[in-house]
Amino acid sequence: MGEAAQYAIKMHHVTKTFGKVVANKNVDLELKTGEILALLGENGSGKTTLMNMLSGIYFPDYGEIYVKGKEVTIRSPKDSFTLGIGMIHQHFKLVDVLILDEPTAVLTPQETEKLFAVLKNMKKHGKSIIIITHKLNEVMAISDRVAILRKGEYIGVVETSETDPDQLTEMMVGRPISLEI
């Protein structure tokens, strides 16, 4: 599989500032074709800002964005939609890449199960999905890989099958945290 076919989205050295506040700093992110990528980080780590650049709400100060191997400029939600990138409020069948920002925050466990079944079906049909969530059990249940941001910076990506909630938490906050209550 060529690189253009392997990656639905690549973001390279993407930086976004708001005045003196650095929301994202030199972030590299890759979304493979037909995968569900969880984007994990504490509040204020830059997850939503990063996705807002991909969906055309914000424009990066620096860096490049590639869609299916081709460098693109996304200046508006219309540009994003034309490239096949959609937010949750758009019809699933119209997009190749779907971004979900905390989609289960107001869902019951049963509704979350139904949403995940839809997402897995979309993945089976070659769609690429980014899901932003704080819920580690959801990360473990739905994602193929997990990309972690901390304080606006890209920390790393791990295969979900090769990690656990303790490792993800440590990558998120920068130190070991006990998840025992």
Side-chain angles (χ1 to χ4, degrees):
M1 182 182 296
E3 184 161 340
Q6 185 179 359
Y7 293 101
I9 301 287
K10 286 182 88 169
M11 301 176 89
H12 184 65
H13 293 307
V14 172
T15 298
K16 180 66 180 172
T17 59
F18 298 97
K20 293 183 179 181
V21 176
V22 179
N24 294 118
K25 182 179 177 184
N26 294 320
V27 174
D28 291 331
L29 186 75
E30 297 173 340
L31 174 64
K32 294 178 182 178
T33 300
E35 104 170 320
I36 298 175
L37 176 70
L39 187 55
L40 187 63
E42 293 184 284
N43 286 336
S45 65
K47 303 176 304 291
T48 298
T49 299
L50 189 66
M51 293 302 99
N52 281 341
M53 287 185 280
L54 192 55
S55 63
I57 294 169
Y58 296 144
F59 188 77
D61 299 331
Y62 307 101
E64 303 90 44
I65 298 174
Y66 299 86
V67 175
K68 296 180 183 170
K70 180 182 174 199
E71 186 171 0
V72 298
T73 301
I74 302 174
R75 294 192 181 273
S76 70
K78 183 179 183 230
D79 290 347
S80 180
F81 186 76
T82 300
L83 292 166
I85 301 167
M87 295 296 280
I88 188 66
H89 61 269
Q90 296 172 340
H91 195 281
F92 289 157
K93 292 184 180 177
L94 299 178
V95 296
D96 296 318
V97 177
L98 184 64
I99 302 166
L100 299 101
D101 191 349
E102 300 284 351
T104 64
V106 296
L107 299 181
T108 66
Q110 295 81 7
E111 291 167 330
T112 297
E113 283 181 31
K114 289 178 183 175
L115 172 63
F116 284 5
V118 169
L119 297 178
K120 288 176 181 176
N121 190 47
M122 290 176 68
K123 172 189 163 184
K124 189 169 66 175
H125 287 93
K127 302 297 182 187
S128 302
I129 300 160
I130 297 174
I131 182 169
I132 298 172
T133 182
H134 294 96
K135 300 176 181 176
L136 292 174
N137 61 322
E138 293 180 2
V139 168
M140 299 306 293
I142 191 69
S143 66
D144 298 303
R145 293 187 310 142
V146 185
I148 296 95
L149 297 181
R150 183 181 339 123
K151 297 181 182 173
E153 294 190 45
Y154 175 79
I155 301 304
V157 65
V158 293
E159 298 287 330
T160 306
S161 63
E162 297 173 7
T163 192
D164 59 47
D166 289 329
Q167 180 188 13
L168 294 174
T169 301
E170 184 171 342
M171 291 176 76
M172 243 174 48
V173 300
R175 57 186 162 59
I177 299 284
S178 173
L179 298 178
E180 302 296 319
I181 296 180

